[in-house]
Amino acid sequence: MTEGLHSMLLEHRGRRPVVPESAYVAPSAVLCGAVVLGEGSRVLHGAVLTAEDGEVRLGTNSVVMENALVRGRADHPALIGDAVMVGPHVHVNGATVEDGVFIATGAALFPGSVVGAGAELRINSVLQVNSRLEPGAVLPIGWIAVGDPALLFSPDRHDELWAIQRELDFPGTVYGVPRGAGMREIMARQSAFYGAHRDDRELPLA
């Protein structure tokens, strides 16, 4: 362990992280609230697993690599299966990830999305809200998956992508507001929501 540095375990909304003896949490990682780690799981340096008002669960022998963010939400907990690789700088926000999935550096998974078993999300790919990537599918570098079941789009096909994406209710799913709501309304709600962290309490390490 780096001198002067320790894993931060935080109680949030009255819930505490659960870390089995066989798991490893790096000294600079943060677990906040209702986070449950599986046996043999690993959370590496700079990673943040935060259960806002919904759970985060990490399965057996799954690894969350450096500087990744995994966020659980009330309507969309972050549920990560067994033998899953969550790569560096990945963003898993209220998504379900089934067993044996590989998520490469910089990929983003949005609330309500589901990744089928054995799928691969390659570097900087995006799985949009309320979209489902089929088991064994490969989402190429920088591509976007949208819909249920998801169709795959290269970034230059925005108009085709938007025709599907606009029906998936990103503002309602992520921010709880209708499409067209202004940033003042959205950010007032976000400020109130994240203000719950003012009452977080750091827990002693076992």
Coordinates of all heavy atoms in Angstrom, one line a residue, residues 33-106:
G33 N -21.3 3.7 -0.9 CA -22.7 3.2 -0.7 C -22.9 1.7 -1.0 O -22.0 0.9 -0.6
A34 N -24.0 1.4 -1.6 CA -24.4 0.0 -1.7 C -23.7 -0.7 -2.9 O -24.2 -1.1 -3.9 CB -25.9 -0.1 -2.0
V35 N -22.4 -0.9 -2.6 CA -21.5 -1.5 -3.6 C -21.1 -2.9 -3.0 O -20.7 -3.0 -1.9 CB -20.2 -0.7 -3.8 CG1 -19.2 -1.5 -4.7 CG2 -20.5 0.7 -4.3
V36 N -21.4 -4.0 -3.8 CA -21.1 -5.3 -3.4 C -20.1 -5.9 -4.4 O -20.4 -6.1 -5.6 CB -22.4 -6.2 -3.4 CG1 -22.0 -7.6 -2.9 CG2 -23.4 -5.5 -2.4
L37 N -18.9 -6.3 -3.9 CA -17.9 -7.0 -4.7 C -18.0 -8.5 -4.6 O -18.3 -9.0 -3.5 CB -16.5 -6.5 -4.3 CG -16.2 -5.0 -4.3 CD1 -14.7 -4.8 -4.0 CD2 -16.6 -4.4 -5.6
G38 N -17.8 -9.2 -5.7 CA -17.7 -10.6 -5.8 C -16.4 -11.2 -5.3 O -15.4 -10.5 -5.3
E39 N -16.4 -12.5 -5.1 CA -15.2 -13.2 -4.7 C -14.1 -13.0 -5.8 O -14.4 -13.2 -7.0 CB -15.4 -14.7 -4.5 CG -16.4 -14.9 -3.3 CD -15.8 -14.6 -2.0 OE1 -14.5 -14.5 -1.9 OE2 -16.6 -14.5 -1.0
G40 N -12.9 -12.7 -5.4 CA -11.8 -12.6 -6.4 C -11.9 -11.4 -7.3 O -11.1 -11.3 -8.2
S41 N -12.7 -10.5 -7.0 CA -12.8 -9.3 -7.8 C -11.7 -8.3 -7.5 O -11.1 -8.4 -6.4 CB -14.2 -8.6 -7.6 OG -14.4 -8.2 -6.3
R42 N -11.4 -7.4 -8.4 CA -10.3 -6.5 -8.3 C -10.8 -5.1 -8.8 O -11.4 -4.9 -9.8 CB -9.1 -6.9 -9.2 CG -8.7 -8.3 -9.0 CD -8.0 -8.5 -7.6 NE -7.5 -9.9 -7.4 CZ -8.0 -10.7 -6.5 NH1 -9.0 -10.4 -5.7 NH2 -7.4 -11.9 -6.4
V43 N -10.5 -4.1 -7.9 CA -10.8 -2.7 -8.3 C -9.5 -1.9 -8.2 O -8.9 -1.8 -7.1 CB -11.8 -2.1 -7.3 CG1 -12.1 -0.6 -7.6 CG2 -13.1 -2.9 -7.3
L44 N -9.0 -1.4 -9.3 CA -7.6 -0.9 -9.4 C -7.6 0.6 -9.2 O -8.6 1.2 -8.9 CB -7.0 -1.3 -10.8 CG -7.0 -2.8 -11.0 CD1 -6.2 -3.1 -12.3 CD2 -6.4 -3.6 -9.9
H45 N -6.4 1.2 -9.2 CA -6.1 2.5 -8.8 C -7.0 3.6 -9.6 O -7.2 3.5 -10.8 CB -4.7 2.9 -9.1 CG -3.7 2.2 -8.1 ND1 -3.6 2.7 -6.8 CD2 -3.0 1.1 -8.2 CE1 -2.7 1.9 -6.2 NE2 -2.3 0.9 -7.0
G46 N -7.6 4.5 -8.8 CA -8.3 5.6 -9.3 C -9.7 5.2 -9.7 O -10.5 6.1 -10.1
A47 N -10.1 3.9 -9.7 CA -11.5 3.5 -10.0 C -12.5 4.0 -9.0 O -12.2 4.1 -7.8 CB -11.6 2.0 -10.2
V48 N -13.7 4.4 -9.4 CA -14.8 4.8 -8.5 C -16.0 3.9 -8.8 O -16.5 3.9 -9.9 CB -15.1 6.3 -8.7 CG1 -16.3 6.7 -7.8 CG2 -13.9 7.2 -8.4
L49 N -16.5 3.3 -7.7 CA -17.7 2.5 -7.8 C -18.7 3.2 -6.8 O -18.5 3.2 -5.6 CB -17.6 1.1 -7.4 CG -17.0 0.1 -8.5 CD1 -15.6 0.5 -8.8 CD2 -17.0 -1.3 -8.0
T50 N -19.7 3.9 -7.4 CA -20.6 4.7 -6.5 C -22.0 4.3 -6.7 O -22.6 4.4 -7.8 CB -20.3 6.2 -6.8 OG1 -21.2 7.0 -6.0 CG2 -20.5 6.6 -8.2
A51 N -22.7 3.9 -5.6 CA -24.1 3.6 -5.6 C -24.9 4.8 -5.2 O -25.0 5.1 -4.0 CB -24.3 2.4 -4.7
E52 N -25.4 5.6 -6.2 CA -26.0 6.8 -5.9 C -27.3 6.6 -5.1 O -27.4 6.8 -3.9 CB -26.3 7.6 -7.2 CG -25.1 8.0 -7.9 CD -24.2 9.0 -7.1 OE1 -24.6 9.5 -6.1 OE2 -23.0 9.1 -7.5
D53 N -28.4 6.1 -5.7 CA -29.5 5.6 -5.0 C -30.0 4.2 -5.5 O -31.1 3.8 -5.4 CB -30.7 6.6 -5.2 CG -31.0 7.0 -6.6 OD1 -30.3 6.5 -7.5 OD2 -31.9 7.7 -6.8
G54 N -29.0 3.5 -6.1 CA -29.2 2.2 -6.6 C -27.9 1.4 -6.5 O -26.8 2.0 -6.5
E55 N -27.9 0.1 -6.5 CA -26.8 -0.7 -6.2 C -25.7 -0.8 -7.3 O -26.1 -0.6 -8.5 CB -27.2 -2.2 -5.9 CG -27.9 -2.3 -4.6 CD -28.1 -3.8 -4.3 OE1 -28.1 -4.7 -5.2 OE2 -28.2 -4.1 -3.1
V56 N -24.5 -1.1 -6.9 CA -23.4 -1.6 -7.8 C -23.1 -3.0 -7.4 O -22.8 -3.2 -6.2 CB -22.2 -0.6 -7.8 CG1 -21.1 -1.2 -8.5 CG2 -22.5 0.8 -8.3
R57 N -23.1 -3.9 -8.3 CA -22.6 -5.3 -8.0 C -21.6 -5.7 -9.0 O -21.8 -5.6 -10.2 CB -23.8 -6.2 -8.0 CG -24.7 -6.1 -6.8 CD -25.8 -7.2 -6.7 NE -26.5 -7.1 -5.5 CZ -26.2 -7.7 -4.4 NH1 -25.1 -8.5 -4.3 NH2 -26.9 -7.5 -3.3
L58 N -20.5 -6.3 -8.5 CA -19.4 -6.7 -9.4 C -19.2 -8.2 -9.1 O -19.1 -8.6 -7.9 CB -18.1 -6.0 -9.0 CG -16.9 -6.3 -9.8 CD1 -17.1 -5.9 -11.3 CD2 -15.7 -5.5 -9.2
G59 N -19.2 -9.0 -10.2 CA -19.2 -10.5 -10.0 C -17.9 -11.1 -9.7 O -16.8 -10.4 -9.5
T60 N -17.9 -12.4 -9.7 CA -16.7 -13.2 -9.3 C -15.6 -13.0 -10.4 O -15.9 -13.1 -11.6 CB -17.0 -14.6 -9.2 OG1 -18.0 -14.8 -8.2 CG2 -15.8 -15.5 -8.9
N61 N -14.4 -12.8 -9.9 CA -13.2 -12.6 -10.8 C -13.3 -11.6 -11.9 O -12.8 -11.7 -13.0 CB -12.8 -14.0 -11.4 CG -12.3 -15.0 -10.4 OD1 -11.8 -14.6 -9.4 ND2 -12.5 -16.3 -10.7
S62 N -14.1 -10.5 -11.6 CA -14.2 -9.4 -12.5 C -13.3 -8.3 -12.0 O -12.9 -8.2 -10.9 CB -15.7 -8.9 -12.5 OG -16.5 -9.8 -13.2
V63 N -12.8 -7.5 -13.0 CA -11.8 -6.5 -12.8 C -12.3 -5.2 -13.3 O -12.7 -5.0 -14.4 CB -10.4 -6.9 -13.4 CG1 -9.4 -5.8 -13.2 CG2 -9.9 -8.2 -12.9
V64 N -12.2 -4.1 -12.4 CA -12.4 -2.8 -12.8 C -11.1 -2.1 -12.8 O -10.4 -1.9 -11.8 CB -13.4 -2.0 -11.9 CG1 -13.6 -0.6 -12.3 CG2 -14.7 -2.8 -11.8
M65 N -10.6 -1.6 -14.0 CA -9.3 -1.1 -14.1 C -9.2 0.3 -13.8 O -10.2 1.0 -13.4 CB -8.7 -1.5 -15.5 CG -8.6 -3.0 -15.7 SD -7.7 -3.4 -17.2 CE -6.0 -2.9 -16.7
E66 N -8.0 0.9 -14.0 CA -7.6 2.2 -13.5 C -8.6 3.3 -14.1 O -8.9 3.3 -15.3 CB -6.2 2.6 -13.9 CG -5.1 1.8 -13.2 CD -4.8 0.5 -13.8 OE1 -5.5 0.1 -14.8 OE2 -3.9 -0.2 -13.3
N67 N -9.1 4.2 -13.2 CA -9.8 5.4 -13.5 C -11.2 5.1 -14.2 O -11.7 6.0 -14.8 CB -9.0 6.3 -14.3 CG -7.7 6.8 -13.6 OD1 -7.8 7.2 -12.5 ND2 -6.6 6.6 -14.3
A68 N -11.7 3.9 -14.0 CA -13.0 3.6 -14.5 C -14.1 4.1 -13.5 O -13.8 4.3 -12.3 CB -13.2 2.1 -14.7
L69 N -15.3 4.4 -14.0 CA -16.4 4.8 -13.2 C -17.6 3.9 -13.4 O -18.0 3.6 -14.5 CB -16.8 6.2 -13.5 CG -18.2 6.7 -12.9 CD1 -18.0 6.8 -11.4 CD2 -18.6 8.1 -13.5
V70 N -18.1 3.3 -12.3 CA -19.2 2.5 -12.3 C -20.3 3.1 -11.3 O -20.0 3.3 -10.1 CB -18.9 1.0 -11.8 CG1 -20.2 0.2 -11.9 CG2 -17.8 0.4 -12.7
R71 N -21.4 3.5 -11.9 CA -22.4 4.2 -11.1 C -23.8 3.5 -11.1 O -24.3 3.1 -12.2 CB -22.6 5.6 -11.8 CG -23.5 6.5 -10.9 CD -23.8 7.9 -11.7 NE -22.6 8.6 -12.0 CZ -21.9 9.3 -11.2 NH1 -22.3 9.4 -9.9 NH2 -20.8 10.0 -11.6
G72 N -24.3 3.2 -9.9 CA -25.6 2.6 -9.8 C -26.7 3.6 -9.5 O -26.5 4.7 -8.9
R73 N -27.9 3.4 -10.1 CA -29.0 4.3 -10.0 C -30.3 3.6 -9.5 O -30.3 2.4 -9.7 CB -29.3 5.0 -11.4 CG -28.0 5.6 -12.0 CD -28.2 5.8 -13.5 NE -29.2 6.8 -13.7 CZ -28.9 8.1 -13.8 NH1 -27.7 8.6 -13.7 NH2 -29.9 9.0 -14.0
A74 N -31.2 4.3 -9.0 CA -32.4 3.7 -8.4 C -33.1 2.8 -9.5 O -33.4 1.6 -9.2 CB -33.4 4.7 -7.9
D75 N -33.4 3.3 -10.6 CA -34.1 2.6 -11.6 C -33.2 1.7 -12.5 O -33.7 0.8 -13.2 CB -34.9 3.5 -12.6 CG -36.0 4.3 -11.8 OD1 -36.5 3.7 -10.9 OD2 -36.4 5.4 -12.2
H76 N -31.9 2.0 -12.4 CA -30.9 1.3 -13.2 C -29.7 1.0 -12.4 O -28.7 1.7 -12.5 CB -30.6 2.1 -14.4 CG -31.8 2.5 -15.3 ND1 -32.4 1.5 -16.0 CD2 -32.4 3.6 -15.5 CE1 -33.4 2.1 -16.7 NE2 -33.4 3.4 -16.3
P77 N -29.7 -0.1 -11.6 CA -28.5 -0.5 -10.9 C -27.4 -0.9 -11.9 O -27.7 -1.2 -13.0 CB -28.9 -1.6 -10.0 CG -30.1 -2.2 -10.7 CD -30.8 -1.0 -11.3
A78 N -26.2 -0.8 -11.4 CA -25.0 -1.2 -12.3 C -24.7 -2.6 -11.8 O -24.2 -2.9 -10.7 CB -23.8 -0.3 -12.1
L79 N -25.0 -3.6 -12.7 CA -24.9 -5.0 -12.4 C -23.9 -5.6 -13.4 O -24.1 -5.7 -14.6 CB -26.2 -5.7 -12.5 CG -27.4 -5.1 -11.7 CD1 -28.7 -5.8 -12.0 CD2 -27.1 -5.2 -10.2
I80 N -22.7 -6.0 -12.8 CA -21.6 -6.5 -13.7 C -21.4 -8.0 -13.3 O -21.2 -8.3 -12.1 CB -20.4 -5.7 -13.5 CG1 -20.6 -4.2 -13.9 CG2 -19.2 -6.3 -14.2 CD1 -19.5 -3.3 -13.6
G81 N -21.5 -8.9 -14.3 CA -21.4 -10.3 -14.0 C -20.0 -10.8 -13.7 O -19.1 -10.1 -13.3
D82 N -19.9 -12.1 -13.8 CA -18.6 -12.8 -13.5 C -17.7 -12.7 -14.7 O -18.1 -12.7 -15.9 CB -18.9 -14.3 -13.2 CG -19.8 -14.5 -12.0 OD1 -19.9 -13.6 -11.2 OD2 -20.4 -15.6 -12.0
A83 N -16.4 -12.7 -14.4 CA -15.3 -12.8 -15.5 C -15.5 -11.6 -16.5 O -15.4 -11.8 -17.7 CB -15.3 -14.1 -16.2
V84 N -15.7 -10.4 -16.0 CA -15.9 -9.2 -16.8 C -14.7 -8.3 -16.7 O -14.2 -8.1 -15.6 CB -17.2 -8.4 -16.5 CG1 -17.2 -7.1 -17.2 CG2 -18.4 -9.3 -16.8
M85 N -14.1 -7.8 -17.8 CA -13.1 -6.8 -17.8 C -13.7 -5.5 -18.0 O -14.3 -5.2 -19.1 CB -12.0 -7.2 -18.8 CG -11.0 -6.0 -19.0 SD -10.0 -5.7 -17.5 CE -8.9 -7.2 -17.6
V86 N -13.6 -4.6 -17.1 CA -14.0 -3.2 -17.3 C -12.7 -2.4 -17.4 O -11.9 -2.2 -16.4 CB -14.8 -2.7 -16.0 CG1 -15.1 -1.2 -16.2 CG2 -16.0 -3.5 -15.9
G87 N -12.4 -1.9 -18.6 CA -11.1 -1.4 -18.9 C -10.9 0.0 -18.3 O -11.8 0.6 -17.7
P88 N -9.6 0.6 -18.5 CA -9.3 1.9 -18.0 C -10.2 3.0 -18.6 O -10.6 2.9 -19.8 CB -7.9 2.1 -18.4 CG -7.3 0.7 -18.6 CD -8.5 -0.1 -19.1
H89 N -10.6 3.9 -17.8 CA -11.4 5.1 -18.2 C -12.8 4.7 -18.8 O -13.4 5.5 -19.5 CB -10.7 5.9 -19.2 CG -9.4 6.5 -18.6 ND1 -9.4 7.6 -17.8 CD2 -8.1 6.1 -18.8 CE1 -8.1 7.8 -17.5 NE2 -7.3 6.9 -18.0
V90 N -13.3 3.5 -18.5 CA -14.6 3.1 -18.9 C -15.7 3.7 -18.0 O -15.4 4.0 -16.8 CB -14.7 1.5 -18.8 CG1 -16.2 1.1 -18.8 CG2 -14.0 0.9 -20.0
H91 N -16.9 4.0 -18.6 CA -18.0 4.6 -17.9 C -19.2 3.7 -17.9 O -19.7 3.5 -19.0 CB -18.3 5.9 -18.5 CG -19.5 6.7 -18.0 ND1 -20.2 7.6 -18.7 CD2 -20.1 6.6 -16.7 CE1 -21.2 8.0 -17.9 NE2 -21.1 7.5 -16.8
V92 N -19.5 3.0 -16.8 CA -20.7 2.1 -16.7 C -21.7 2.8 -15.8 O -21.5 2.9 -14.6 CB -20.3 0.7 -16.2 CG1 -21.5 -0.1 -16.1 CG2 -19.2 0.1 -17.0
N93 N -22.7 3.3 -16.4 CA -23.7 4.1 -15.7 C -25.1 3.5 -15.8 O -25.8 3.5 -16.8 CB -23.8 5.6 -16.4 CG -24.7 6.5 -15.6 OD1 -25.3 6.1 -14.6 ND2 -24.8 7.7 -16.1
G94 N -25.4 2.8 -14.7 CA -26.7 2.1 -14.7 C -27.0 1.1 -15.7 O -28.1 1.0 -16.3
A95 N -26.0 0.3 -16.1 CA -26.0 -0.7 -17.1 C -25.9 -2.1 -16.5 O -25.4 -2.3 -15.4 CB -24.9 -0.5 -18.1
T96 N -26.5 -3.1 -17.2 CA -26.3 -4.5 -16.9 C -25.3 -5.1 -17.8 O -25.5 -5.0 -19.0 CB -27.7 -5.2 -16.9 OG1 -28.5 -4.6 -16.0 CG2 -27.5 -6.7 -16.7
V97 N -24.3 -5.8 -17.3 CA -23.3 -6.4 -18.1 C -23.2 -7.9 -17.7 O -23.0 -8.2 -16.5 CB -21.9 -5.8 -17.8 CG1 -20.8 -6.5 -18.6 CG2 -21.9 -4.3 -18.1
E98 N -23.6 -8.7 -18.6 CA -23.6 -10.2 -18.3 C -22.2 -10.8 -18.3 O -21.2 -10.1 -18.5 CB -24.5 -10.9 -19.4 CG -26.0 -10.4 -19.3 CD -26.9 -11.0 -20.2 OE1 -26.4 -11.8 -21.1 OE2 -28.1 -10.8 -20.1
D99 N -22.1 -12.1 -18.0 CA -20.8 -12.7 -17.8 C -19.9 -12.7 -19.0 O -20.4 -12.8 -20.2 CB -21.1 -14.2 -17.4 CG -21.8 -14.3 -16.1 OD1 -21.9 -13.4 -15.3 OD2 -22.3 -15.5 -15.8
G100 N -18.6 -12.7 -18.8 CA -17.6 -12.9 -19.8 C -17.5 -11.7 -20.8 O -17.0 -12.0 -21.9
V101 N -17.9 -10.5 -20.4 CA -17.8 -9.4 -21.3 C -16.5 -8.7 -21.2 O -15.9 -8.6 -20.1 CB -19.0 -8.4 -21.0 CG1 -18.8 -7.1 -21.8 CG2 -20.3 -9.0 -21.4
F102 N -16.0 -8.2 -22.4 CA -14.8 -7.4 -22.4 C -15.1 -6.0 -22.8 O -15.7 -5.7 -23.9 CB -13.8 -8.0 -23.4 CG -12.5 -7.2 -23.5 CD1 -11.5 -7.4 -22.7 CD2 -12.4 -6.2 -24.5 CE1 -10.3 -6.6 -22.8 CE2 -11.2 -5.5 -24.7 CZ -10.2 -5.7 -23.8
I103 N -14.8 -5.0 -21.9 CA -15.1 -3.6 -22.2 C -13.8 -2.8 -22.2 O -13.1 -2.7 -21.2 CB -16.0 -3.0 -21.1 CG1 -17.3 -3.8 -20.9 CG2 -16.4 -1.5 -21.4 CD1 -18.1 -3.4 -19.7
A104 N -13.4 -2.4 -23.4 CA -12.1 -1.8 -23.6 C -12.0 -0.3 -23.2 O -13.1 0.3 -22.9 CB -11.7 -1.9 -25.1
T105 N -10.8 0.2 -23.2 CA -10.6 1.6 -22.7 C -11.5 2.6 -23.3 O -11.7 2.7 -24.5 CB -9.1 1.9 -23.1 OG1 -8.2 1.0 -22.5 CG2 -8.8 3.3 -22.6
G106 N -12.1 3.4 -22.4 CA -12.9 4.6 -22.8 C -14.3 4.3 -23.3 O -15.0 5.2 -23.7

